[in-house]
Amino acid sequence: MRISSRQIVDNVLINLHRNYARLDRLQTRLSSGKRVMLPSDDPAGAATATRLRAFVLDNEQYLKNAQAALGWLTATDSALQDVVSVLHRARELTINAARGDLPGDAREALASEFDQLIRHLVQVANTTHGGRYIFGGTQTEQAPYVSTDDVDGYVDTVTFYGNDQEMIYEIGPGVRQAVSVSGATVFDHGSGGGSGPPVTVATGLFSTLITIRQHISDGEVDQLSGQDLADLDQALDHVLRTLSRVGARQNGFELVAERLQSQEVNLKDLLSKTEDLDVAEAIVELKMQENVYRLALASGARIIQPTLLDFLR
Amino acid sequence: MRSTFFGIELARRALFAQQRAMDVASHNIANANDPAYSRQRAEMVATAPYAPPGTAPAGVAGQVGTGVWVQAIERVRDAYLDGRIRSQGQLTSYWRVQRDTFEQIERIFNEPTDQGIRVALDQLWQALQDLSVTPDSMAVREVVVQRGKLLTEAVGTVFRQLEALRLDLDASLGLKVERLNTLAADLARLNRQIAQVVASGQRPNDLLDRRDAILEEMAGLAAVQVTVRSGEQVAVSIGGLALVDGEIAHRLVMEGQGADRVVRWEGASGPVVAFGGGEIGAILEMRGTIGSQGPASVSGAIPGLMRALDEWTRALAQEFNRVHRAGYGLDGQNGRGFFRVDADQDGWVADDLTIWPGIMADPGRVAAAKSDTSIPGDGSHALALADVLKTVRFDSTKQVDLGGVTLPDYFASLVGRIGVQAQQAQRMADNQQLVLDHLEGLRQSISGVSLDEEMADLIRFEHAYGAAARAMTAMDEVLDTLINRTGLVGR
């Protein structure tokens, strides 16, 4: 084949350009650390990377939600522990007050302490977590329990301003779980609040305690040692059962959080495998490409220079 | 009977022919770096021998050679290769435009990164999840609104950049059409000059080189058909209609406004030009058209993408609003939309999607609650809103049917499609470039100037010239002997 002078120069240039372009691509990849920069670098890989990226974000969010749920449940748990200790103390006081030979002022003192217990319980029922009332259902910004006093200064009614709706968090694709325990369940007074106007709590824990306080003031020993103790035990039993339910829920969320955490590591690993560069491989390739480029330059320099002119005369 | 001075005439012819050949070699060397130049060759032919048949006296040796002359100066060129280079050049520039444009589109969509539409969608979803956990927090509600705004901005930016890309393509379309007109006029002028030279019996080699370069540039712009007529004149047609015929060049004109101009043949209601390929063909295909019906009347690559993005935005906004209207804000009101779909006359949604000002001003109006009695702590409706962004499938039961896929899937497949097309355009452009390089190598091998060859030729002609001069000197001496020294016997 006849080779013209331009042809040699053209070929050298074309090959230099091609090598240089390859060097540039490798260099861009190395400096960005990414194997897939644009969808056209690897359409399937880019699609996978996009999906994995979304999974990582989802996972982070679910983990955040699960941790928020755990915070809420921890607050609920400790409030319920408080309720239990209130009930224990109430039981002690009731047994003390059930003695028939108690002098009047001692009875008044017991009644007054019992009243303080009820007030404490109202406070516990108004526990907040991050500024939100935990026992008011979805009425989180308003104290769900409000007590009113009678003429003697004792608590005689408790009003519930909340509702019994649960808060539901999503902790996995389509996995939704109730997080909150409404006051109506904990204090066993039915869901009067619901969607209507606030209701006076006429049953359950608060009314049991208010009745006992009255019995203490009135010295109704038979009631105190009989029905009232039984009611208290029943209430304690109810709270303990709620407590264990909350505990079980806590365990559930902890497991989910752990699983999400380990999944996050896996997903990030997968994402990195999909879109990140194998640096060792890329550097070896870069080195090779660099050599090819140098060779092309060197051979070009050798071949372009001499012509017949150099050897005439 | 030969003339006395016959030898001198013979040597003179040789001197002239060798000199002419040296001129041609010098011309070749001078143009060695002109890419359009084809090397030329002096065709040396022996002149008619003496004596003509039938006139020679018997018994005389014959015929006697009368020397040499340069019959023609030939251009060394392969017309078949020219045709191949034109058609491959057309494809190469077609795919090059596709590749460059798709690369820009990929950069406009900016996926997969942490800044694209996809991430904005995910972030709105995250904000809604946070809202479901703490629906009573104004800070979280503010985040939802801001993320929503970011999403509308991300969509709007991509859409407007696609529009801008169309305008850019259109600007370059105007330049290319103008270039084609200039080339056509040049070609018509060259045709005339070439015809004149041919008529005078000479070879218009350098003009032909220029003509071929013009034809090649034209082929890069559009799919042209080239016919060579008598007298080396060429006719060029596009889509079956003549652009240049002999000395007549027709013009193409741009009509219309903005990014929807069309290219027509000049003249009263001339037909639309069917470029069929080349750079202009590729630009027209990428730019496409958007009819008066907006998204419902589009064709071409970029308008198709704009339409897909618009559909996606419409599906997102309408379904999100539908769900949003069913929920309740902190003020206990329902029936409010979230995205403001401002479908103005052009019918596009993606470029002017915003958040309702009422919600921007008061994020409490974001409908996170299922009923008016369960606020402020009920975030369950926020989850229904979040579902629209992730898991709701848009089939025929929805206002906008995306073929039964979710929003992220639709978007992913859109980006995937761009990736595949961009990859194909890249490969085609690279392959075409290889083919073209190969063909041009072949042509260079035939038509290119080899300096070594020309040097060798120069030396050859130089020696022949020297030898012819020597022959003339010998003749001169013979005549000297004859004239000056003959007849002097005994003087």
Side-chain angles (χ1 to χ4, degrees), chain B residues 308-471:
Chain B
L309 182 63
D310 198 63
E311 286 282 283
W312 184 83
T313 313
R314 198 189 302 266
L316 162 73
Q318 290 186 345
E319 179 65 10
F320 197 86
N321 280 348
R322 191 184 66 76
V323 175
H324 195 266
R325 276 194 284 272
Y328 291 79
L330 280 183
D331 54 359
Q333 296 290 310
N334 68 347
R336 278 192 288 244
F338 184 80
F339 291 112
R340 181 174 173 180
V341 182
D342 186 15
D344 43 22
Q345 285 164 344
D346 63 3
W348 295 98
V349 169
D351 58 339
D352 31 32
L353 186 72
T354 47
I355 309 290
W356 275 105
I359 288 186
M360 284 297 288
D362 177 15
R365 296 183 178 182
V366 174
K370 223 175 354 214
S371 75
D372 60 344
T373 55
S374 59
I375 37 183
D378 177 16
S380 55
H381 203 68
L383 287 178
L385 288 171
D387 279 349
V388 174
L389 307 183
K390 282 268 170 179
T391 51
V392 168
R393 295 184 179 282
F394 288 80
D395 49 25
S396 53
T397 62
K398 300 285 181 291
Q399 270 175 295
V400 180
D401 185 358
L402 295 182
V405 297
T406 62
L407 287 175
D409 283 352
Y410 185 85
F411 192 75
S413 79
L414 177 65
V415 172
R417 213 159 60 224
I418 295 170
V420 171
Q421 281 175 315
Q423 198 186 33
Q424 195 213 358
Q426 258 170 33
R427 284 196 185 137
M428 289 306 289
D430 288 353
N431 291 346
Q432 279 301 325
Q433 192 62 52
L434 281 179
V435 173
L436 195 62
D437 286 348
H438 172 70
L439 286 174
E440 270 172 357
L442 274 181
R443 181 167 65 183
Q444 275 294 317
S445 141
I446 292 169
S447 303
V449 176
S450 160
L451 288 175
D452 291 348
E453 190 181 65
E454 300 304 330
M455 291 311 296
D457 280 352
L458 268 182
I459 291 166
R460 210 150 49 86
F461 300 138
E462 196 184 338
H463 281 307
Y465 185 88
R470 184 56 58 95

Side-chain angles (χ1 to χ4, degrees), chain B residues 91-411:
Chain B
L91 284 171
T92 308
S93 39
Y94 174 84
W95 284 110
R96 203 184 292 140
V97 169
Q98 293 247 331
R99 177 193 65 191
D100 293 352
T101 315
F102 268 115
E103 193 180 324
Q104 288 192 56
I105 293 173
E106 280 190 296
R107 294 194 191 277
I108 286 174
F109 272 87
N110 205 9
E111 305 278 350
T113 57
D114 294 330
Q115 294 100 39
I117 292 179
R118 177 64 209 257
V119 171
L121 185 77
D122 284 340
Q123 283 180 341
L124 177 59
W125 178 84
Q126 282 188 316
L128 288 168
Q129 285 282 340
D130 284 344
L131 181 65
S132 81
V133 172
T134 42
D136 36 18
S137 156
M138 280 309 268
V140 169
R141 284 170 177 272
E142 188 66 46
V143 172
V144 170
V145 173
Q146 290 305 324
R147 292 273 170 83
K149 188 162 167 268
L150 278 179
L151 177 61
T152 62
E153 283 166 0
V155 171
T157 306
V158 168
F159 188 85
R160 277 187 289 275
Q161 281 182 328
L162 287 176
E163 276 183 324
L165 182 59
R166 281 192 79 219
L167 278 172
D168 287 351
L169 283 175
D170 209 64
S172 89
L173 176 70
L175 294 175
K176 305 282 178 201
V177 169
E178 210 28 67
R179 179 77 189 139
L180 196 56
N181 279 333
T182 312
L183 290 174
D186 286 353
L187 187 61
R189 220 173 8 257
L190 270 174
N191 265 341
R192 193 174 68 238
Q193 292 174 354
I194 287 170
Q196 284 169 352
V197 176
V198 170
S200 75
Q202 289 184 324
R203 298 282 160 87
N205 291 326
D206 297 319
L207 295 177
L208 290 177
D209 279 349
R210 264 169 63 198
R211 181 198 74 188
D212 288 345
I214 286 179
L215 287 178
E216 234 153 78
E217 198 179 335
M218 278 181 158
L221 291 171
V224 291
Q225 292 91 41
V226 177
T227 326
V228 181
R229 298 264 167 80
S230 63
E232 288 287 352
Q233 286 201 335
V234 291
V236 175
S237 60
I238 297 176
L241 296 173
L243 178 66
V244 177
D245 193 358
E247 294 164 20
I248 301 161
H250 297 276
R251 277 181 62 80
L252 308 177
V253 287
M254 305 276 293
E255 230 173 58
Q257 284 191 333
D260 290 307
R261 292 187 292 177
V262 288
V263 186
R264 289 184 186 284
W265 293 91
E266 196 180 44
S269 66
V272 173
V273 185
F275 287 100
E279 262 183 85
I280 299 181
I283 289 174
L284 281 172
E285 248 173 63
M286 297 303 294
R287 193 206 64 173
T289 57
I290 296 176
S292 55
Q293 319 253 293
S297 53
V298 300
S299 72
I302 297 177
L305 291 173
M306 285 164 72
R307 186 183 133 108
L309 182 63
D310 198 63
E311 286 282 283
W312 184 83
T313 313
R314 198 189 302 266
L316 162 73
Q318 290 186 345
E319 179 65 10
F320 197 86
N321 280 348
R322 191 184 66 76
V323 175
H324 195 266
R325 276 194 284 272
Y328 291 79
L330 280 183
D331 54 359
Q333 296 290 310
N334 68 347
R336 278 192 288 244
F338 184 80
F339 291 112
R340 181 174 173 180
V341 182
D342 186 15
D344 43 22
Q345 285 164 344
D346 63 3
W348 295 98
V349 169
D351 58 339
D352 31 32
L353 186 72
T354 47
I355 309 290
W356 275 105
I359 288 186
M360 284 297 288
D362 177 15
R365 296 183 178 182
V366 174
K370 223 175 354 214
S371 75
D372 60 344
T373 55
S374 59
I375 37 183
D378 177 16
S380 55
H381 203 68
L383 287 178
L385 288 171
D387 279 349
V388 174
L389 307 183
K390 282 268 170 179
T391 51
V392 168
R393 295 184 179 282
F394 288 80
D395 49 25
S396 53
T397 62
K398 300 285 181 291
Q399 270 175 295
V400 180
D401 185 358
L402 295 182
V405 297
T406 62
L407 287 175
D409 283 352
Y410 185 85
F411 192 75

Side-chain angles (χ1 to χ4, degrees), chain A residues 5-148:
Chain A
S5 304
R6 269 187 64 84
Q7 210 173 343
I8 289 178
V9 180
D10 283 353
N11 279 339
V12 168
L13 279 179
I14 287 172
N15 285 323
L16 281 182
H17 280 318
R18 212 169 282 157
N19 284 325
Y20 210 48
R22 251 177 244 150
L23 261 182
D24 175 58
R25 202 160 53 235
L26 282 170
Q27 181 62 40
T28 322
R29 284 184 178 183
L30 265 174
S31 55
S32 70
K34 293 264 179 275
R35 190 177 65 84
V36 184
M37 303 267 295
L38 290 172
S40 56
D41 292 339
D42 175 3
T48 315
T50 314
R51 225 174 36 244
L52 284 173
R53 216 178 264 266
F55 282 156
V56 170
L57 279 179
D58 293 2
N59 210 64
E60 268 171 19
Q61 186 63 42
Y62 290 139
L63 185 58
K64 209 168 143 193
N65 290 0
Q67 273 157 354
L70 277 173
W72 188 274
L73 285 169
T74 309
T76 311
D77 184 85
S78 75
L80 288 177
Q81 303 276 8
D82 276 1
V83 175
V84 170
S85 57
V86 165
L87 287 181
H88 278 303
R89 183 66 188 147
R91 200 169 182 282
E92 277 170 33
L93 292 179
T94 312
I95 291 169
N96 282 348
R99 282 165 46 201
D101 56 350
L102 217 53
D105 51 349
R107 187 170 299 282
E108 269 320 294
L110 277 177
S112 160
E113 189 183 345
F114 205 94
D115 187 59
Q116 286 307 314
L117 274 182
I118 295 173
R119 285 175 199 280
H120 181 59
L121 193 66
V122 170
Q123 269 176 24
V124 170
N126 286 335
T127 303
T128 59
H129 173 64
R132 311 164 74 201
Y133 292 96
I134 60 175
F135 290 125
T138 57
Q139 290 295 343
T140 51
E141 289 191 323
Q142 173 183 27
Y145 290 94
V146 174
S147 59
T148 46

